Amino acid sequence: THLSIACLFSRHSEQNIDKVKSETGFLSVLTAQGYDTTWISTQSISGYYESTSTLYDEVKFSIIPGGSLLYGMNSHDGVMLPYIEKLLEKKTRQFITVQLSGSHWNYASRYPEEFAKFKPTQKKNAKVDQASCTKEELINSYDNSILYTDFFLANLIHLLKDKNAFLIFASDHAESLGENGRLGHGADFAPEQKEIPFMVWFSDSFKQNYPELVNAVSSHRGQIISHDYIFHSVLHCLGIESEILDLNYSLCSYKKIKTDKL
């Protein structure tokens, strides 16, 4: 996670990850440009905050019960929604970072019981590991956690739909569920752990105000992209100009169509 987060917020790519610690990320840029930048989470930030602390300079952290620095085991992501709704009542320009627990192990602890649509599931016991479950229990519990993330995102979009807003959603990593004997994440760079969802959503108001930006983002549909796009896309989509921006990595620049010479 700490490597993925660094790639998400820094202008540097995975190949230059060592340079991250010497610079701030785009959240600090937005703060300097007058945005209220807020981080709200159901995960602890302490481990990777210490290792890449400059990325979080000037960012306001919302510490919620069971989340952020007051991390509590098995908090569901939905606890953040009332706090986000309150943040959105402010009339200032805002950029809100929402960090989910999502589908981290223990999968069955990531959703309320009413989201256990796929059964049988694993036990909600944080002391067991993935190898203690049957493959069916493992996959069902993981799929239920994805269902709950869908629910969370639907509610988040509902809070934003009447705003002049856009939403970028991306996972920091995926999970292995038994492929070639692999389980969980982080042990190696397995393909199934690297291929993640990436979604961009626009409110109707944003579409009306910035149709060219929306069309540019749409031109990238189906393209293979990475975390490297987020830094450049966020700043470019918000109209911030800088010599450090690489518009080849901005989703708000039209995808270049390759043509063969005749």
Side-chain angles (χ1 to χ4, degrees), residues 10-258:
S10 168
R11 70 184 176 107
H12 294 296
S13 65
E14 177 186 351
Q15 289 73 26
N16 297 311
I17 201 68
D18 291 340
K19 296 181 180 179
V20 168
K21 295 183 181 180
S22 63
E23 295 186 3
T24 59
F26 70 73
L27 293 177
S28 296
V29 175
L30 295 179
T31 302
Q33 293 296 316
Y35 283 82
D36 280 346
T37 52
T38 304
W39 183 296
I40 187 167
S41 174
T42 51
Q43 287 197 54
S44 170
I45 62 163
S46 55
Y48 49 87
Y49 178 81
E50 294 168 358
S51 61
T52 55
S53 58
T54 56
L55 286 177
Y56 309 95
D57 285 356
E58 304 172 8
V59 179
K60 180 181 178 182
F61 286 91
S62 289
I63 302 176
I64 66 173
S68 197
L69 291 178
L70 299 179
Y71 175 63
M73 184 66 74
N74 303 336
S75 295
H76 299 139
D77 289 324
V79 301
M80 292 187 286
L81 290 169
Y83 294 87
I84 297 170
E85 184 174 16
K86 190 69 176 177
L87 284 171
L88 292 172
E89 292 177 359
K90 296 195 297 184
K91 303 302 181 183
T92 56
R93 293 192 303 172
Q94 292 196 73
F95 191 93
I96 303 173
T97 303
V98 182
Q99 185 189 25
L100 310 181
S101 291
S103 297
H104 280 101
W105 177 259
N106 179 310
Y107 309 135
S109 297
R110 300 304 170 205
Y111 54 86
E113 188 59 37
E114 59 265 32
F115 284 84
K117 177 180 179 181
F118 306 105
K119 296 181 179 180
T121 61
Q122 64 187 81
K123 296 289 188 284
K124 296 191 177 186
N125 182 347
K127 293 184 179 180
V128 301
D129 60 23
Q130 292 95 322
S132 66
C133 310
T134 67
K135 185 174 183 180
E136 186 179 18
E137 290 172 339
L138 192 69
I139 292 175
N140 286 341
S141 300
Y142 182 82
D143 286 350
N144 288 333
S145 72
I146 297 295
L147 180 66
Y148 186 62
T149 295
D150 286 347
F151 165 81
F152 180 89
L153 290 174
N155 278 272
L156 184 55
I157 287 172
H158 179 75
L159 294 177
L160 294 172
K161 68 177 184 179
D162 295 327
K163 311 290 183 183
N164 182 36
F166 68 89
L167 167 72
I168 296 176
F169 173 76
S171 297
D172 52 351
H173 57 77
E175 294 278 294
S176 293
L177 298 175
E179 295 88 345
N180 296 309
R182 293 184 292 260
L183 293 168
H185 64 271
D188 50 26
F189 290 101
E192 67 274 8
Q193 294 179 29
K194 295 176 66 177
E195 296 175 2
I196 59 170
F198 193 114
M199 180 185 79
V200 183
W201 171 89
F202 302 101
S203 68
D204 290 340
S205 177
F206 192 94
K207 290 177 182 178
Q208 292 173 4
N209 293 330
Y210 307 104
E212 281 300 303
L213 294 181
V214 174
N215 290 336
V217 172
S218 297
S219 74
H220 293 271
R221 184 179 286 118
Q223 178 185 354
I224 296 176
I225 58 178
S226 70
H227 287 152
D228 295 340
Y229 280 74
I230 293 182
F231 176 95
H232 305 280
S233 296
V234 167
L235 296 184
H236 187 210
C237 291
L238 291 174
I240 296 174
E241 297 180 358
S242 172
E243 63 183 17
I244 68 172
L245 287 185
D246 186 344
L247 300 189
N248 291 317
Y249 286 92
S250 171
L251 297 177
C252 282
S253 291
Y254 280 93
K255 179 182 177 182
K256 293 180 174 61
I257 306 299
K258 295 182 180 179

